[in-house]
Amino acid sequence: MTELVPGGNLPLPGGAVTVRVPGPFDVSALITDDSGKVRGDGDFVFYNQPAAPGARLSGDTLALDPARLRAGATRITVAVTPADPGTPLGRLPAPTLHLTGPGGRTLARFAPPRPRQETLLLLAEIYRRGPGWKLRALGQGYADGLAGLARDFGVDVTEDPGPASAPPMASSTPAPAPMPSRPPVAPRMPSAPVAPRTPPTLVWPRSSSPHAAASPDGFLPLVNSARAAAGSPPVSPDARLTSAAQAHASAMAAARRLGVQVADGVSVYQRLTATGYAYVTVGEHLVSGPRTPAEFVDYCLRTAQPRQTLNDPAFTHAGLAHASDSRTGDTYWTALWARPLTPGDLSRTASEVVDLTNHERARHGLPPLAVDPFLTTAAQAHSADMIARAFYSHTAPDGSQPWDRAAAAGARRRSIGENIACGQRSPAEVVEGWMNSPGHRANILKPDFTHIGIGFAGGGASGTYWTQLFGA
C-alpha cells in the first residue's frame, strides 16, 4: 500500500477502483474534461444524485470505472463536505481517503493536513495520462464551500444569493437524524441531530438574449405523452398546484435566483399546503432558461433526475407556472407534482414503513416489531409538529424528548428510541436512508425493541417529515 502526500501520483491498474472516505462527511465527485469544467448536471455525483456513467456513490464509498465515463471525460475530482452543513472541517476527524483496486486490494491511503476553517476539501483527482489513468492527491480546501467549487468547476449553486438562469433542478432531501434509545434509568442527553441538508441546485450559463416566456398552455399533453411512453398514468391539472407554482415562480423571479426556499423564507411545499392541498407525495422542478413549455419538458426529459420526477407513476396531479424578471428578461419556472392524501394513505404509508423495517430485521435474524397505537400517536404528532413549528429535531421547541411524547400519548414502554427524516418521497426511500446511516440502523436493528409507531406529514421547509418511534 502507498501512503500518498499532497501532490503525489499513483498509476492505477486497469478496471474499476473504489474510493472510500469514512467519517461524518458527504462524499461527492465531479466529472470533467481537460478544461476542468463540468458539462451538465449529470457530471455531479453526490448524495441526491448518486450515479453517473462510470461513477456510483453508496454511503461513504465511490465506485469508479474510468473506462465507462461519458465521452470526453478525462478527470474525476473527489471532494468531501461535512455531513452537518456549515461545520468547519477542522471540528471533525481528519478525512482520510482509502483507495482499493480490483479484487479488493488496498492500493493507497491519503491523509491530508488537517483542515481548519475549510468547509469543502478536494481530496484527489483521477485523471487520464496517455492510455492509462492516475490518481493525484490534492488536499486543497475552500473556506467558502460550494461557492469556491462553483468558481473552479463552472457550476453555480443556490447556497449563495445571486442571479441564476439556465436549466437546473432543485430538490430537497435532507439527511435523516437518529435518536438513541432512552436508558431505563437517568437518560443521557442525546447527541445533536443532523441538520437538514438541501442539495445544491446546479446552474449552467444562460443565453445572452433575454426572452419572454410563452403561456404554459399545452404543458399537460406534452407531459402525459411522455408519461405514456414511460408506462406511467396521466396526471390531471389542479388549480391549487398551479397557484402554488405561480407564487413560487414569482418569488424566484423577484429574488433573481432558483431555490426551494428563496428570499421571502417560504418553501415551495409551504406554498402548496397553504392552498389546502394535503399530499402523500410531492415533487418539483425549479428551472430557468426554457422559453416555452415544450422546451421545459424537453429539458426534463434530457436529464436523469428531472425525467424520473416527470415520469413518476405515484403522481396524479400537476401544475406549471412561470414568472419573468423584468430587469433581465430571465424566466423562472415552477412545476409541482403531487398525489393527494386520502384517509387510507396515511395508514398505508405507515404500514409500508413498518413492513420494510421488519424486513430489515428479518434479514438480520431479529423478530418483527408490533405496531403500538400509543407510539403511533406520538410519532404522528411529532411529524406534524415539526411542520407546524418549523423545526427538525428530536427535541421540540418546548424541550420535550421522544420519551416525554411517548408517555404523554399513553405509552408505557421502559425504553424509547427515535429516528426522524425529512425530504424522502416514499417509504422505501426513507427506510433505505435510515439503513444507510449507522445511528438509524442501530435503532432499527436493536434486539431489545419490540414495538414501533410511524408518523408522516407533508409540508414545511423540506416537503415530507417522517418519524419512527421504537419501544421496549
Side-chain angles (χ1 to χ4, degrees), residues 58 108 142 153 223-224 266 284 316 328 448:
S58 177
Y142 298 100
F153 288 87
V223 163
N224 284 331
V266 182
E284 74 287 332
T316 58
T328 65
D448 292 348

Side-chain angles (χ1 to χ4, degrees), residues 60-449:
D60 60 7
T61 302
L62 275 165
L64 304 172
D65 188 346
R68 296 181 180 274
L69 294 175
R70 64 159 174 85
T74 58
R75 186 183 306 169
I76 308 168
T77 303
V78 179
V80 294
T81 51
D84 185 1
T87 300
L89 287 164
R91 296 183 186 175
L92 303 175
T96 301
L97 180 148
H98 301 265
L99 178 70
T100 304
R105 182 169 63 94
T106 301
L107 301 178
R109 177 180 177 273
F110 174 50
R114 187 178 185 85
R116 295 186 179 180
Q117 295 304 312
E118 293 90 337
T119 54
L120 184 146
L121 190 67
L122 302 182
L123 279 178
E125 62 180 8
I126 292 172
Y127 63 99
R128 185 194 298 273
R129 178 56 56 90
W133 292 79
K134 289 187 172 183
L135 180 140
R136 179 184 293 119
L138 297 176
Q140 301 168 358
Y142 298 100
D144 53 351
L146 288 169
L149 179 141
R151 290 191 303 271
D152 283 1
F153 288 87
V155 53
D156 197 5
V157 296
T158 60
E159 291 199 348
D160 295 318
S165 56
M169 191 199 81
S171 62
S172 180
T173 309
M179 182 70 176
S181 60
R182 179 188 183 186
V185 181
R188 296 181 299 142
M189 288 297 291
S191 58
V194 178
R197 297 179 295 178
T198 301
T201 299
L202 311 181
V203 184
W204 275 266
R206 64 181 170 199
S207 168
S208 58
S209 60
H211 51 259
S215 164
D217 292 343
F219 169 67
L220 282 178
L222 292 168
V223 163
N224 284 331
S225 175
R227 287 175 64 89
S232 298
V235 290
S236 303
D238 189 283
R240 294 164 295 180
L241 271 67
T242 302
S243 173
Q246 186 63 68
H248 198 70
S250 298
M252 292 193 299
R256 302 179 70 184
R257 71 181 182 93
L258 295 154
V260 169
Q261 181 174 298
V262 286
D264 62 1
V266 182
S267 77
V268 66
Y269 315 112
Q270 290 167 315
R271 299 187 204 282
L272 179 53
T273 54
T275 68
Y277 190 105
Y279 56 81
V280 69
T281 189
V282 66
E284 74 287 332
H285 290 110
L286 310 177
V287 175
S288 67
R291 294 165 296 181
T292 65
E295 289 186 5
F296 176 91
V297 172
D298 180 64
Y299 159 72
C300 294
L301 294 176
R302 283 188 289 106
T303 314
Q305 190 64 43
R307 181 171 62 248
Q308 181 178 336
T309 299
L310 186 149
N311 288 329
D312 193 327
F315 298 134
T316 58
H317 294 93
L320 176 73
H322 68 274
S324 295
D325 178 358
S326 60
R327 294 163 290 180
T328 65
D330 294 335
T331 303
Y332 294 80
W333 297 78
T334 298
L336 284 171
W337 315 82
R339 189 174 93 234
L341 181 68
T342 65
D345 279 325
L346 194 58
S347 59
R348 184 163 48 251
T349 298
S351 293
E352 288 183 32
V353 175
V354 172
D355 290 345
L356 290 165
T357 299
N358 282 333
H359 175 72
E360 295 295 340
R361 288 177 63 88
R363 288 179 58 228
H364 291 81
L366 296 171
L369 302 172
V371 174
D372 182 310
F374 301 114
L375 295 178
T376 299
T377 297
Q380 183 60 37
H382 190 56
S383 287
D385 191 32
M386 286 191 287
I387 292 173
R389 291 198 277 181
F391 73 98
Y392 178 68
S393 175
H394 300 289
T395 304
D398 59 9
S400 63
Q401 302 282 0
W403 39 85
D404 301 322
R405 297 188 289 269
R412 295 294 179 264
R413 301 290 167 189
R414 60 179 176 80
S415 180
I416 294 292
E418 183 178 79
N419 286 345
I420 60 173
C422 58
Q424 292 77 11
R425 307 301 169 87
S426 70
E429 187 179 343
V430 74
V431 173
E432 180 182 12
W434 280 327
M435 287 299 295
N436 287 336
S437 170
H440 309 86
R441 179 187 178 93
N443 272 343
I444 288 174
L445 300 181
K446 186 170 182 177
D448 292 348
F449 287 143

